[in-house]
Short mmCIF file of all heavy atoms in Angstrom, two decimals:
data_model
loop_
_atom_site.label_atom_id
_atom_site.label_comp_id
_atom_site.label_asym_id
_atom_site.label_seq_id
_atom_site.Cartn_x
_atom_site.Cartn_y
_atom_site.Cartn_z
N ASN A 1 84.75 0.54 -81.50
CA ASN A 1 84.51 1.02 -80.14
C ASN A 1 83.88 -0.09 -79.30
O ASN A 1 83.24 -1.00 -79.82
CB ASN A 1 83.57 2.23 -80.16
CG ASN A 1 84.09 3.35 -81.04
OD1 ASN A 1 85.29 3.59 -81.09
ND2 ASN A 1 83.19 4.01 -81.76
N GLN A 2 84.05 0.00 -78.00
CA GLN A 2 83.37 -0.93 -77.10
C GLN A 2 81.93 -0.48 -76.88
O GLN A 2 81.61 0.70 -76.99
CB GLN A 2 84.10 -1.01 -75.76
CG GLN A 2 85.49 -1.61 -75.83
CD GLN A 2 86.12 -1.75 -74.47
OE1 GLN A 2 85.61 -1.25 -73.48
NE2 GLN A 2 87.24 -2.44 -74.40
N LEU A 3 81.09 -1.45 -76.58
CA LEU A 3 79.70 -1.12 -76.27
C LEU A 3 79.62 -0.52 -74.86
O LEU A 3 80.20 -1.07 -73.92
CB LEU A 3 78.82 -2.37 -76.34
CG LEU A 3 78.27 -2.78 -77.70
CD1 LEU A 3 77.32 -3.97 -77.53
CD2 LEU A 3 77.56 -1.65 -78.40
N SER A 4 78.92 0.58 -74.74
CA SER A 4 78.71 1.18 -73.43
C SER A 4 77.72 0.34 -72.62
O SER A 4 77.03 -0.54 -73.15
CB SER A 4 78.19 2.60 -73.59
OG SER A 4 76.90 2.59 -74.20
N GLU A 5 77.66 0.62 -71.35
CA GLU A 5 76.72 -0.12 -70.50
C GLU A 5 75.29 0.11 -70.96
O GLU A 5 74.47 -0.82 -70.99
CB GLU A 5 76.89 0.34 -69.05
CG GLU A 5 75.97 -0.39 -68.08
CD GLU A 5 76.18 0.05 -66.64
OE1 GLU A 5 77.07 0.88 -66.40
OE2 GLU A 5 75.43 -0.44 -65.77
N GLU A 6 74.98 1.32 -71.38
CA GLU A 6 73.63 1.62 -71.87
C GLU A 6 73.32 0.82 -73.13
O GLU A 6 72.22 0.28 -73.27
CB GLU A 6 73.52 3.12 -72.15
CG GLU A 6 72.17 3.55 -72.68
CD GLU A 6 72.13 5.04 -73.00
OE1 GLU A 6 73.14 5.72 -72.74
OE2 GLU A 6 71.10 5.50 -73.53
N ASP A 7 74.30 0.73 -74.03
CA ASP A 7 74.08 -0.02 -75.28
C ASP A 7 73.95 -1.52 -75.01
O ASP A 7 73.20 -2.21 -75.71
CB ASP A 7 75.23 0.24 -76.25
CG ASP A 7 75.12 1.59 -76.93
OD1 ASP A 7 74.02 2.17 -76.92
OD2 ASP A 7 76.14 2.08 -77.47
N ARG A 8 74.68 -2.03 -74.04
CA ARG A 8 74.58 -3.46 -73.72
C ARG A 8 73.18 -3.80 -73.21
O ARG A 8 72.58 -4.81 -73.61
CB ARG A 8 75.64 -3.86 -72.69
CG ARG A 8 77.06 -3.77 -73.20
CD ARG A 8 78.02 -4.53 -72.30
NE ARG A 8 78.11 -3.96 -70.97
CZ ARG A 8 79.00 -3.04 -70.60
NH1 ARG A 8 79.86 -2.54 -71.49
NH2 ARG A 8 79.03 -2.59 -69.35
N VAL A 9 72.66 -2.96 -72.35
CA VAL A 9 71.30 -3.18 -71.84
C VAL A 9 70.28 -3.06 -72.98
O VAL A 9 69.36 -3.87 -73.10
CB VAL A 9 70.99 -2.17 -70.72
CG1 VAL A 9 69.52 -2.27 -70.31
CG2 VAL A 9 71.89 -2.40 -69.52
N LYS A 10 70.48 -2.08 -73.82
CA LYS A 10 69.55 -1.86 -74.93
C LYS A 10 69.58 -3.01 -75.92
O LYS A 10 68.53 -3.46 -76.41
CB LYS A 10 69.90 -0.55 -75.63
CG LYS A 10 68.97 -0.16 -76.75
CD LYS A 10 69.37 1.18 -77.33
CE LYS A 10 68.44 1.60 -78.46
NZ LYS A 10 68.84 2.91 -79.03
N LEU A 11 70.78 -3.54 -76.22
CA LEU A 11 70.89 -4.65 -77.16
C LEU A 11 70.17 -5.89 -76.63
O LEU A 11 69.49 -6.60 -77.39
CB LEU A 11 72.35 -4.96 -77.43
CG LEU A 11 72.64 -6.08 -78.44
CD1 LEU A 11 72.02 -5.75 -79.80
CD2 LEU A 11 74.13 -6.31 -78.58
N LYS A 12 70.26 -6.14 -75.33
CA LYS A 12 69.56 -7.29 -74.76
C LYS A 12 68.05 -7.07 -74.79
O LYS A 12 67.29 -8.03 -74.99
CB LYS A 12 70.04 -7.54 -73.33
CG LYS A 12 71.48 -8.03 -73.24
CD LYS A 12 71.83 -8.49 -71.84
CE LYS A 12 71.09 -9.77 -71.48
NZ LYS A 12 71.52 -10.29 -70.17
N GLU A 13 67.61 -5.84 -74.62
CA GLU A 13 66.18 -5.56 -74.70
C GLU A 13 65.66 -5.79 -76.12
O GLU A 13 64.58 -6.37 -76.31
CB GLU A 13 65.91 -4.11 -74.28
CG GLU A 13 66.14 -3.84 -72.80
CD GLU A 13 65.93 -2.39 -72.45
OE1 GLU A 13 65.76 -1.57 -73.38
OE2 GLU A 13 65.95 -2.05 -71.25
N VAL A 14 66.43 -5.36 -77.12
CA VAL A 14 66.03 -5.58 -78.51
C VAL A 14 66.03 -7.07 -78.83
O VAL A 14 65.15 -7.58 -79.54
CB VAL A 14 66.97 -4.82 -79.46
CG1 VAL A 14 66.64 -5.13 -80.91
CG2 VAL A 14 66.87 -3.32 -79.21
N ALA A 15 66.99 -7.80 -78.31
CA ALA A 15 67.03 -9.25 -78.52
C ALA A 15 65.82 -9.92 -77.88
O ALA A 15 65.29 -10.90 -78.41
CB ALA A 15 68.32 -9.83 -77.95
N GLY A 16 65.37 -9.39 -76.74
CA GLY A 16 64.22 -9.98 -76.05
C GLY A 16 62.93 -9.86 -76.83
O GLY A 16 62.03 -10.70 -76.66
N VAL A 17 62.81 -8.86 -77.71
CA VAL A 17 61.60 -8.71 -78.52
C VAL A 17 61.86 -9.17 -79.95
O VAL A 17 61.08 -8.85 -80.85
CB VAL A 17 61.12 -7.25 -78.50
CG1 VAL A 17 60.72 -6.83 -77.10
CG2 VAL A 17 62.20 -6.31 -79.07
N ASP A 18 62.95 -9.91 -80.16
CA ASP A 18 63.32 -10.46 -81.47
C ASP A 18 63.48 -9.36 -82.50
O ASP A 18 63.01 -9.46 -83.64
CB ASP A 18 62.29 -11.49 -81.94
CG ASP A 18 62.84 -12.41 -83.04
OD1 ASP A 18 64.09 -12.49 -83.16
OD2 ASP A 18 62.06 -13.01 -83.78
N GLY A 19 64.17 -8.30 -82.10
CA GLY A 19 64.44 -7.21 -83.02
C GLY A 19 65.66 -7.47 -83.88
O GLY A 19 66.27 -8.55 -83.84
N LEU A 20 66.05 -6.48 -84.65
CA LEU A 20 67.14 -6.62 -85.60
C LEU A 20 68.34 -5.78 -85.18
O LEU A 20 68.20 -4.70 -84.58
CB LEU A 20 66.71 -6.19 -87.00
CG LEU A 20 65.57 -6.99 -87.64
CD1 LEU A 20 65.23 -6.41 -89.00
CD2 LEU A 20 65.93 -8.46 -87.76
N TYR A 21 69.51 -6.29 -85.52
CA TYR A 21 70.77 -5.55 -85.37
C TYR A 21 71.26 -5.22 -86.77
O TYR A 21 71.51 -6.11 -87.58
CB TYR A 21 71.80 -6.38 -84.61
CG TYR A 21 73.14 -5.71 -84.52
CD1 TYR A 21 73.41 -4.81 -83.48
CD2 TYR A 21 74.14 -5.95 -85.46
CE1 TYR A 21 74.64 -4.17 -83.41
CE2 TYR A 21 75.36 -5.32 -85.38
CZ TYR A 21 75.61 -4.43 -84.36
OH TYR A 21 76.83 -3.80 -84.29
N ARG A 22 71.39 -3.93 -87.08
CA ARG A 22 71.74 -3.48 -88.42
C ARG A 22 73.13 -2.86 -88.43
O ARG A 22 73.56 -2.25 -87.44
CB ARG A 22 70.74 -2.44 -88.93
CG ARG A 22 69.31 -2.96 -89.11
CD ARG A 22 68.42 -1.82 -89.59
NE ARG A 22 67.08 -2.25 -89.94
CZ ARG A 22 66.07 -2.31 -89.08
NH1 ARG A 22 66.26 -1.96 -87.82
NH2 ARG A 22 64.87 -2.72 -89.47
N ILE A 23 73.79 -2.98 -89.58
CA ILE A 23 75.03 -2.26 -89.83
C ILE A 23 74.92 -1.59 -91.20
O ILE A 23 74.11 -2.00 -92.05
CB ILE A 23 76.28 -3.17 -89.81
CG1 ILE A 23 76.21 -4.21 -90.94
CG2 ILE A 23 76.45 -3.81 -88.45
CD1 ILE A 23 77.50 -4.98 -91.14
N ARG A 24 75.74 -0.56 -91.42
CA ARG A 24 75.79 0.06 -92.74
C ARG A 24 77.16 0.68 -92.97
O ARG A 24 77.85 1.10 -92.02
CB ARG A 24 74.69 1.11 -92.91
CG ARG A 24 74.93 2.41 -92.19
CD ARG A 24 73.82 3.41 -92.50
NE ARG A 24 74.08 4.73 -91.92
CZ ARG A 24 73.28 5.78 -92.04
NH1 ARG A 24 72.15 5.67 -92.73
NH2 ARG A 24 73.59 6.94 -91.49
N VAL A 25 77.56 0.73 -94.24
CA VAL A 25 78.81 1.36 -94.66
C VAL A 25 78.50 2.20 -95.90
O VAL A 25 77.59 1.88 -96.66
CB VAL A 25 79.90 0.32 -94.98
CG1 VAL A 25 80.30 -0.44 -93.74
CG2 VAL A 25 79.45 -0.63 -96.07
N PRO A 26 79.26 3.26 -96.13
CA PRO A 26 79.01 4.08 -97.32
C PRO A 26 79.51 3.41 -98.59
O PRO A 26 80.43 2.58 -98.56
CB PRO A 26 79.80 5.37 -97.04
CG PRO A 26 80.88 4.94 -96.11
CD PRO A 26 80.30 3.84 -95.27
N ARG A 27 78.92 3.75 -99.72
CA ARG A 27 79.37 3.27 -101.03
C ARG A 27 80.62 4.05 -101.43
O ARG A 27 80.56 5.28 -101.56
CB ARG A 27 78.28 3.46 -102.08
CG ARG A 27 77.01 2.68 -101.82
CD ARG A 27 75.97 3.04 -102.87
NE ARG A 27 74.72 2.36 -102.66
CZ ARG A 27 74.37 1.20 -103.22
NH1 ARG A 27 75.23 0.62 -104.05
NH2 ARG A 27 73.23 0.63 -103.00
N VAL A 28 81.72 3.35 -101.65
CA VAL A 28 82.97 4.01 -102.04
C VAL A 28 83.72 3.15 -103.05
O VAL A 28 83.41 1.96 -103.22
CB VAL A 28 83.88 4.27 -100.82
CG1 VAL A 28 83.29 5.32 -99.89
CG2 VAL A 28 84.15 2.98 -100.07
N PHE A 29 84.71 3.74 -103.70
CA PHE A 29 85.61 3.02 -104.58
C PHE A 29 86.83 2.57 -103.79
O PHE A 29 87.29 3.27 -102.89
CB PHE A 29 86.07 3.90 -105.75
CG PHE A 29 85.11 3.92 -106.90
CD1 PHE A 29 84.31 5.02 -107.13
CD2 PHE A 29 85.01 2.83 -107.75
CE1 PHE A 29 83.43 5.05 -108.20
CE2 PHE A 29 84.12 2.85 -108.82
CZ PHE A 29 83.34 3.96 -109.04
N LEU A 30 87.37 1.41 -104.15
CA LEU A 30 88.57 0.91 -103.51
C LEU A 30 89.80 1.02 -104.39
O LEU A 30 90.91 0.84 -103.91
CB LEU A 30 88.39 -0.56 -103.12
CG LEU A 30 87.29 -0.87 -102.11
CD1 LEU A 30 87.35 -2.33 -101.70
CD2 LEU A 30 87.44 0.00 -100.87
N GLN A 31 89.64 1.29 -105.68
CA GLN A 31 90.79 1.34 -106.57
C GLN A 31 91.60 2.61 -106.35
O GLN A 31 91.06 3.69 -106.13
CB GLN A 31 90.34 1.28 -108.03
CG GLN A 31 89.93 -0.12 -108.47
CD GLN A 31 89.74 -0.20 -109.96
OE1 GLN A 31 89.73 0.81 -110.65
NE2 GLN A 31 89.61 -1.41 -110.47
#
């Protein structure tokens, strides 16, 4: 998905305080 305008502003605010950007995925099998 594209980042919304609200998320873009929020991401820059988090970057300004040297915060973290996290991602996560579920544990699954690929076979």
Side-chain angles (χ1 to χ4, degrees):
N1 304 323
Q2 294 184 350
L3 275 185
S4 65
E5 181 179 357
E6 179 183 356
D7 283 342
R8 293 196 296 268
V9 173
K10 184 177 180 180
L11 182 59
K12 292 190 69 175
E13 291 177 352
V14 175
V17 296
D18 199 20
L20 298 178
Y21 176 86
R22 296 178 173 89
I23 64 169
R24 75 176 185 180
V25 295
R27 297 175 182 267
V28 292
F29 276 106
L30 298 187
Q31 284 190 350

